[in-house]
Amino acid sequence: MNEDIERGSEKGSGPTLATHRPAGDSSDIPELVAALWNSSEPQLLIDPQDGRIVDANDAAVRFYGWTYGVLCSFTIDRINTLPPAEIRARLAEATQRPRTRFVFPHRFADGRVRSVEVITGPVRVGERILLWSTLHDLSDIVHRSPEFETLAHRYQTLVENLPAVVYLEEADPPHRKIYVSPAAERLLGWAAHELQVDRATWYERFVAPEDRAWALAERERNDRTGEALRLVYRFRTGDGRTVWLRDEAVLIRDRLGHPWARHGLLTDVTSQKRLEARLQRELAFHNVLLGIASRLVTASSDEFENVVAATLADLGSFLAIDHLVLLECEGTDIVLLSRWQAPGIELSVRCLGRQAIPSLPSLQSLLERGQPVVVPRLEALDAGADDVRTFCTHLGLRSLLAVPLLAAGRLIGCLLAAQQRDERLWGEEELDLFTLVSQLYAASIQQRRAERAEAQHHAWLRATVLAAPDALLVLDANGIVRFASPAARTVLGLAPDQLVGRPLADLTTTPERVASWALDGLRPERANRIEVQFAHQPTRTVELSGVDLRSDRHIAGIVLSARDVTERKRAEQLLRERATRDQLTGLLSRFGFLEVLEALLHTTTAETIGILCCDLERFSALNDALSWEAGDAILRAVAERIRRVTGALAAARLEADRFAVALTAPDRTTLVRLAEELLHELSGWYEVGRDEVYARMRGGLACVEDGIDATTALRRAEIAFQVGKRAGQERLSVFDPVLYQASIERQFLERDLRRALEQGELQIHYQPVIAVSSGRLTSLEALVRWHHPDRGPISPAVFVPLAETTGLISQLTQWVLLQACRQLWAWSRAGLAPELSISVNLSPTDFLHLDVPQLVDDILQVTGLEPRRLTLELTESAMLDPAVSRERLERLRALGIAVLIDDFGAGYSSLGYLKQLPVSGLKIDRTLVADIDHDPASTAVVRSILELAGALELSVTAEGIESARQLAVLRELGCHYAQGFFVGRPAPPNAIHHLLRRGSTDHPYLDE
């Protein structure tokens, strides 16, 4: 190909190049141009009109790997992998400047796509303008680093996953974005190629109009200075949103130092901008709040109303509110504290003055719940708020906000904000500000009330000081009186002016003691007392009570109260005499005896000390036979004889006719003999007026051992006395540690039984009862069991009598009845043995003293159990009062409750009550059944009982069946029911449940 080529210049002339193929023939080529064309750098001539490759040098053929003919048959878009439209734009752009630099992805003959630097500019070839392009393989440069692929992959991954869009923008006009990272679609809603536009298009298409001019001007200024770019403007995303975008970029230069491109980041900072705006708003709120708080805190009582008015003005102006009103609740009234209205706003009705305004009960009711009342428009008010609607309508108000002022959960006022000109939707931030301001007002109102209350308290305190019967004194740090109330004249006998300026201690009879107490012995947290006498009136006793408040900067002294306690001391002495002395006999009382005995026990002595506790036999009968006066005379005579006893350390009348004497002797034997002699001496004839009465003493002696206190020693003597009395001893009973331990154990067992009842430690076991003829299970007897957590199982023979003597038997009986009925009802509800009955033992004590029929009826009502399925068992001793027994048995029969006589034949048996009382059956005691299988006499007795029962139409149950032979004999004799270990042992509810679930109640024969 022979063509004239000349390099474009500003003057339109330049060297020409005639080229033809084969390559390398350059005889007509100017030396410089030929040198360029034949250099080792790849060169292309491209027609910018259609992108056709017009010519290529040998280096370009080697560079791309195609033959010359193939390469020159291509258009540039066969090599450049950019979109065709983008290629055409770049071709047109390159023709406008002498020299342009691009980086394009080019495809090579081996299929690879590599980054190629293209430096191009226009040249004139004849009448045509072509682009002369010099090519450089950038991939060869960057691939010189062995870690390039790894670094490139890491960089690509980093760029694609950044929470920002990475872009590359040309340094030269029109400043086209030649690369935009794929994150653009995720973050901005635009595909990357949609954002690869020139700068003018970028600002016109994507930047918000209000930011467009200044941002573009800032970019142009930045182009001139070359500084790093940082702009924040509003950007329109692909989905139509407007976000705040931070645009940061730095200038990149090529190897020659010329500006090549800007590398930048686009970051969505919408959240940050919103936060900044919120922070600015909150800062403004904070400044308003801080100003209000500082003014309220520093305001005095006299300035309070003016400060409140000023702070309302600040708040109303800041929030552009029409009206602000601060109200205070005083009792049932709502009082106006202050109000503010915006300039130019006037109330249509002038009813808000400095007088109390009508109460708004519905508003107050809502505010007392502690929540703001928000009324954006009057139509939003409930029907129950007609008073508020009327109030607002009367004043011409269209919107209302009421925030409560609370103190300790109690409503003390209200801050009202109202709009007259328009309706208002109160924002959350405004509500928060109102709430905080209301808290400040509430605290100020409380402080104002506290100050008023404090002033009133000070007045009351002054009146109290003046009116108090006790003298009040204040001493300085040296103990000198600095203040004395008027009562000092009455209490201390000195006028206040005679006390002030003098050391208080020097006025007393014990100055050193008083000074030490006042200056060193007092504490600020609690009062301390001392009794003193003053030198000018030593017969009077004054009680000083004081606290050390020298560390209190308001008082800086010692505060004392002084009270004349002379008469009180005399009364206390008299009361002590009465407390420690028996008024009838003149002997010590129990309290006085213990005091003296405690002192004796702390005295070292080789003698043996003993405590004798004694009383007169049948003293109550003597009183009844004679008179109380005669009884008192006997007691005085006994006391007189005790006083004459040699070896008596102390004597007391403990109570009624009981006395105690502390004796001492060389040894225990002598001590016992002395006690017996004393009892003998006290027993005998006593003259009572003109009569003589014989009285006999009996008692208990306890020898005092080392390490015991007076109370224990006396209690042991009383225990010995009670043991001897129960044993029927006529005179002296000596304390036995074994008996004492048994008494202690009994107390502990009683305590544990009470706790077991309270905490549910007791259990109920059930023993089967069968019909003798069929062997079928007919009923269960409920038997209480106690497994002590420390002592293990405790026999009912131990704890049931204990319950009877301690009064716990009623509680125990009620518990057993309730649990047994509940258990049987539970089994029945589960469909197990619906005809089964339960029997419960009753104590004679309960039967005689409890309303058993009412108790049973209540329990049946609670549990839902049928009356016919409950049987009560009573021993014969419960029938000793036929009248009571008949009445209660009749009521039980009316309820449908069967009653059995338990342990029949074991003790006193009266055949009469069997006929008279409405009982349902008998339970033969086990002692009569034990020998029935080999003793004809036992068989005859049982036969007689069965015949008697048959005649009276009573059922008979035999207890204690332990063998098949016994059961066979009872079957022959015609006994109805049997119970015992052979039939079945008592078992817990789960075992009985298992038995009943087997579906057969024949021959249970339960074992534990």
Side-chain angles (χ1 to χ4, degrees):
M1 179 179 65
N2 295 319
E3 299 182 55
D4 293 334
I5 304 176
E6 61 179 352
R7 192 60 136 167
S9 65
E10 294 180 2
K11 296 180 180 180
S13 64
T16 61
L17 172 62
T19 64
H20 56 84
R21 289 298 170 197
D25 185 1
S26 56
S27 57
D28 298 329
I29 302 173
E31 182 178 353
L32 176 59
V33 176
L36 291 173
W37 185 257
N38 293 322
S39 71
S40 61
E41 291 184 329
Q43 311 278 337
L44 292 178
L45 277 176
I46 302 171
D47 188 341
Q49 299 299 320
D50 56 11
R52 186 173 61 84
I53 299 176
V54 176
D55 202 355
N57 68 357
D58 294 338
V61 171
R62 291 191 300 273
F63 182 70
Y64 286 108
W66 283 292
T67 63
Y68 174 79
V70 171
L71 186 60
C72 289
S73 68
F74 291 162
T75 56
I76 192 63
D77 58 2
R78 180 67 178 77
I79 296 174
N80 195 325
T81 61
L82 290 178
E86 184 72 15
I87 295 174
R88 287 194 298 272
R90 298 302 174 90
L91 290 173
E93 179 183 337
T95 60
Q96 303 303 314
R97 290 183 291 174
R99 178 176 176 275
T100 307
R101 179 180 180 278
F102 299 105
V103 176
F104 292 132
H106 279 197
R107 182 180 292 107
F108 288 72
D110 58 4
R112 292 180 299 154
V113 176
R114 306 171 71 177
S115 295
V116 176
E117 180 185 49
V118 179
I119 300 175
T120 186
V123 296
R124 181 176 297 163
V125 180
E127 298 300 324
R128 300 163 59 190
I129 300 297
L130 302 179
L131 292 175
W132 185 351
S133 303
T134 302
L135 313 172
H136 299 105
D137 187 356
L138 298 181
S139 299
D140 289 341
I141 298 174
V142 297
H143 283 165
R144 291 172 189 172
S145 170
E147 298 179 355
F148 171 76
E149 292 294 340
T150 301
L151 293 174
H153 177 71
R154 289 179 180 176
Y155 178 75
Q156 181 181 2
T157 302
L158 174 64
V159 167
E160 292 178 355
N161 289 279
L162 278 175
V165 177
V166 179
Y167 70 87
L168 192 67
E169 181 183 274
E170 293 175 337
D172 297 327
H175 304 290
R176 183 182 304 275
K177 286 183 171 52
I178 59 178
Y179 172 79
V180 177
S181 67
E185 188 166 2
R186 172 169 52 88
L187 299 176
L188 302 179
W190 298 102
H193 70 273
E194 293 179 292
L195 299 178
Q196 292 177 346
V197 297
D198 58 65
R199 181 180 294 174
T201 303
W202 175 271
Y203 281 92
E204 180 66 27
R205 183 181 301 172
F206 301 117
V207 178
E210 51 267 41
D211 294 334
R212 191 175 297 155
W214 72 262
L216 190 58
E218 182 63 22
R219 287 299 302 267
E220 292 173 354
R221 186 195 68 79
N222 187 261
D223 289 340
R224 294 192 297 272
T225 62
E227 299 172 350
L229 173 70
R230 183 182 176 91
L231 296 177
V232 177
Y233 49 79
R234 279 161 286 193
F235 182 88
R236 291 181 292 191
T237 63
D239 55 6
R241 294 178 297 115
T242 298
V243 298
W244 285 94
L245 212 61
R246 183 172 64 230
D247 190 347
E248 299 173 287
V250 294
L251 185 65
I252 302 174
R253 299 180 183 272
D254 61 15
R255 289 173 295 177
L256 300 177
H258 299 136
W260 174 55
R262 284 189 179 273
H263 190 280
L265 282 177
L266 299 173
T267 306
D268 186 345
V269 294
T270 305
S271 298
Q272 179 179 339
K273 292 293 288 185
R274 289 175 179 170
L275 180 60
E276 289 175 357
R278 181 178 177 84
L279 289 176
Q280 290 175 357
R281 179 69 171 171
E282 289 181 355
L283 180 60
F285 278 22
H286 173 76
N287 290 335
V288 171
L289 184 65
L290 185 61
I292 294 174
S294 62
R295 297 182 72 171
L296 289 175
V297 168
T298 57
S300 64
S301 298
D302 296 336
E303 300 171 335
F304 180 74
E305 294 184 1
N306 293 333
V307 169
V308 168
T311 55
L312 284 180
D314 292 344
L315 181 62
S317 300
F318 176 72
L319 295 177
I321 296 173
D322 291 350
H323 300 280
L324 280 177
V325 179
L326 183 62
L327 307 174
E328 181 180 2
C329 297
E330 292 186 354
T332 59
D333 295 331
I334 300 177
V335 178
L336 176 68
L337 282 183
S338 184
R339 69 182 179 91
W340 175 87
Q341 60 190 34
I345 300 295
E346 291 293 337
L347 286 176
S348 58
V349 178
R350 294 180 173 275
C351 66
L352 285 179
R354 294 195 50 80
Q355 69 279 7
I357 65 176
S359 297
L360 302 174
S362 64
L363 180 64
Q364 185 170 350
S365 176
L366 293 172
L367 293 174
E368 285 174 348
R369 301 174 190 172
Q371 297 295 328
V373 178
V374 182
V375 184
R377 59 186 184 277
L378 297 184
E379 290 78 6
L381 284 171
D382 296 335
D386 289 339
D387 54 345
V388 177
R389 182 182 293 104
T390 302
F391 177 78
C392 293
T393 303
H394 190 58
L395 296 180
L397 303 178
R398 302 178 62 187
S399 185
L400 185 70
L401 171 64
V403 182
L405 274 61
L406 301 174
R410 183 173 55 86
L411 185 67
I412 64 169
C414 166
L415 178 61
L416 286 173
Q419 289 296 105
Q420 183 176 345
R421 291 172 291 187
D422 52 16
E423 295 178 346
R424 180 165 182 163
L425 295 176
W426 305 96
E428 182 179 350
E429 293 178 345
E430 293 174 331
L431 290 177
D432 291 342
L433 180 60
F434 268 98
T435 300
L436 292 174
V437 171
S438 297
Q439 293 174 1
L440 292 175
Y441 284 139
S444 298
I445 291 173
Q446 281 293 91
Q447 178 65 25
R448 185 187 183 195
R449 290 181 176 181
E451 290 174 354
R452 291 201 302 259
E454 184 177 5
Q456 189 174 43
H457 289 164
H458 285 168
W460 289 346
L461 181 60
R462 179 175 178 82
T464 301
V465 170
L466 295 176
D470 294 347
L472 299 180
L473 308 174
V474 178
L475 313 183
D476 65 13
N478 298 317
I480 297 174
V481 179
R482 295 304 179 189
F483 170 80
S485 69
R489 184 187 300 275
T490 303
V491 176
L492 304 180
L494 295 172
D497 57 350
Q498 293 176 294
L499 291 168
V500 173
R502 301 176 64 183
L504 179 67
D506 293 350
L507 302 175
T508 66
T509 57
T510 54
E512 294 182 357
R513 170 171 162 266
V514 174
S516 175
W517 171 82
L519 300 179
D520 302 323
L522 297 180
R523 297 291 180 268
E525 64 274 5
R526 61 184 180 86
N528 197 1
R529 291 178 174 82
I530 188 175
E531 293 180 355
V532 300
Q533 288 78 36
F534 281 79
H536 64 283
Q537 49 182 20
T539 60
R540 310 291 294 178
T541 300
V542 176
E543 180 187 74
L544 297 179
S545 177
V547 290
D548 186 354
L549 298 180
R550 285 177 286 186
S551 60
D552 188 323
R553 61 187 183 87
H554 298 292
I555 299 176
I558 300 167
V559 179
L560 305 178
S561 66
R563 176 179 297 177
D564 189 340
V565 294
T566 305
E567 298 304 323
R568 190 188 75 187
K569 296 295 291 183
R570 292 173 182 168
E572 287 176 355
Q573 184 63 29
L574 180 60
L575 290 175
R576 180 171 179 79
E577 285 291 330
R578 291 180 178 178
T580 59
R581 287 284 172 184
D582 178 55
Q583 301 302 305
L584 178 63
T585 62
L587 298 178
L588 293 172
S589 65
R590 178 185 289 269
F591 177 73
F593 182 75
L594 289 174
E595 276 192 347
V596 173
L597 182 58
E598 191 68 40
L600 289 174
L601 295 181
H602 286 84
T603 302
T604 303
T605 177
E607 296 279 307
T608 299
I609 298 177
I611 309 300
L612 175 65
C613 180
C614 55
D615 74 352
L616 294 167
E617 290 186 10
R618 300 172 59 250
F619 179 71
S620 296
L622 289 175
N623 270 331
D624 295 339
L626 299 175
S627 65
W628 288 105
E629 291 81 2
D632 290 347
I634 294 173
L635 295 177
R636 284 192 292 267
V638 170
E640 189 60 33
R641 291 188 186 185
I642 291 175
R643 290 191 186 93
R644 296 197 299 264
V645 174
T646 304
L649 300 176
R653 180 190 175 213
L654 301 179
E655 58 190 37
D657 62 330
R658 185 173 299 180
F659 295 86
V661 183
L663 302 172
T664 181
D667 51 50
R668 179 186 177 88
T669 303
T670 306
L671 190 62
V672 172
R673 181 176 54 80
L674 286 176
E676 290 176 340
E677 292 176 355
L678 177 57
L679 290 178
H680 179 75
E681 176 67 22
L682 297 177
S683 300
W685 291 95
Y686 289 86
E687 292 185 2
V688 179
R690 297 180 181 180
D691 297 326
E692 281 190 335
V693 176
Y694 182 82
R696 186 171 64 178
M697 275 285 185
R698 58 188 173 186
L701 177 67
C703 295
V704 178
E705 299 175 357
D706 293 339
I708 68 173
D709 57 12
T711 302
T712 303
L714 180 58
R715 184 170 65 248
R716 289 185 175 184
E718 291 182 306
I719 290 172
F721 169 75
Q722 293 293 345
V723 170
K725 186 176 181 179
R726 285 197 298 267
Q729 292 179 316
E730 295 186 355
R731 289 295 178 86
L732 182 65
S733 173
V734 181
F735 175 77
D736 185 348
V738 175
L739 295 177
Y740 174 70
Q741 188 61 36
S743 175
I744 297 299
E745 289 294 327
R746 181 182 177 86
Q747 293 177 13
F748 287 157
L749 193 61
E750 177 189 348
R751 177 203 63 190
D752 294 345
L753 177 59
R754 193 178 301 275
R755 185 175 298 159
L757 279 168
E758 293 174 353
Q759 299 180 358
E761 295 178 1
L762 300 179
Q763 298 177 343
I764 298 180
H765 286 197
Y766 299 89
Q767 187 171 25
V769 179
I770 64 170
V772 174
S773 59
S774 64
R776 188 171 184 79
L777 178 65
T778 60
S779 66
L780 298 168
E781 181 178 358
L783 302 171
V784 64
R785 294 290 184 264
W786 182 15
H787 192 282
H788 195 283
D790 299 322
R791 305 183 187 192
I794 297 178
S795 172
V798 174
F799 69 81
V800 172
L802 178 63
E804 290 180 337
T805 59
T806 57
L808 295 174
I809 190 63
S810 298
Q811 185 178 350
L812 178 61
T813 298
Q814 294 176 46
W815 181 81
V816 173
L817 264 173
L818 180 62
Q819 296 302 318
C821 291
R822 279 179 173 171
Q823 183 62 72
L824 184 58
W825 172 247
W827 284 329
S828 298
R829 191 169 51 185
L832 304 176
E835 296 302 318
L836 198 65
S837 63
I838 197 85
S839 61
V840 178
N841 288 283
L842 283 184
S843 165
T845 303
D846 285 340
F847 187 70
L848 294 174
H849 297 95
L850 282 181
D851 189 350
V852 173
Q854 185 61 51
L855 171 64
V856 170
D857 188 32
D858 292 343
I859 289 178
L860 292 177
Q861 292 293 333
V862 170
T863 61
L865 188 68
E866 301 173 72
R868 64 181 181 82
R869 303 183 64 189
L870 175 62
T871 300
L872 300 180
E873 298 184 10
L874 296 170
T875 61
E876 297 172 90
S877 58
M879 309 298 177
L880 296 180
D881 188 342
V884 175
S885 301
R886 172 175 289 277
E887 184 270 336
R888 297 192 176 178
L889 290 173
E890 290 289 357
R891 289 171 60 193
L892 288 171
R893 170 179 282 183
L895 290 174
I897 306 298
V899 178
L900 303 181
I901 304 300
D902 196 15
D903 299 335
F904 185 79
Y908 171 79
S909 296
S910 172
L911 300 181
Y913 70 77
L914 292 180
K915 179 181 178 181
Q916 299 172 5
L917 300 179
V919 296
S920 303
L922 309 175
K923 296 190 75 172
I924 302 176
D925 187 69
R926 66 181 62 249
T927 59
L928 300 180
V929 179
D931 301 331
I932 196 173
D933 56 344
H934 60 272
D935 183 10
S938 297
T939 305
V941 172
V942 173
R943 181 182 292 111
S944 300
I945 294 174
L946 289 169
E947 292 174 354
L948 174 64
L952 296 175
E953 297 182 352
L954 302 176
S955 66
V956 179
T957 303
E959 297 181 298
I961 308 304
E962 298 184 359
S963 69
R965 177 60 183 161
Q966 291 174 333
L967 186 59
V969 172
L970 289 170
R971 185 178 296 113
E972 293 174 1
L973 294 175
C975 185
H976 305 118
Y977 305 103
Q979 178 181 359
F981 284 1
F982 178 72
V983 174
R985 293 176 177 270
N990 57 347
I992 300 296
H993 185 85
H994 178 69
L995 168 70
L996 298 177
R997 285 184 64 86
R998 292 197 311 219
S1000 173
T1001 55
D1002 294 340
H1003 306 292
Y1005 305 124
L1006 286 175
D1007 292 327
E1008 288 182 327

